Amino acid sequence: MPSQVTVRYWAGARRAAGLASEVLTADTLADLLGQLRARPGLAEVVGASSVLVDEVKPSREDHPLTAGAVVDILPPFAGG
């Protein structure tokens, strides 16, 4: 059964998504990213972003998602 996870969007990802966060349902990170990449405004941003699951960078896209997980979409940041 797919898990409900919170997706938080940062910087350019927030602008592209049009919201700061949302709850989606997915079994794996790959499934979730596929859903996001299917959205015209998010596809390019997600492709260029770093992704964290519960504040940790997963080693692979087939990383399983558990109920209540938080997935952060972090596009590249400018500045220093």
Side-chain angles (χ1 to χ4, degrees), residues 2-61:
S3 300
Q4 284 194 327
V5 299
T6 299
V7 181
R8 298 189 304 192
Y9 302 103
W10 299 94
R14 181 177 291 183
R15 285 188 296 280
L19 57 148
S21 67
E22 65 182 316
V23 175
L24 296 174
T25 303
D27 288 317
T28 65
L29 180 58
D31 178 32
L32 179 69
L33 293 176
Q35 292 177 48
L36 299 179
R37 289 176 181 139
R39 298 181 186 177
L42 271 177
E44 187 175 330
V45 174
V46 170
S49 294
S50 295
V51 178
L52 301 178
V53 177
D54 293 329
E55 300 183 7
V56 176
K57 184 170 177 61
S59 59
R60 27 183 247 263
E61 278 198 11

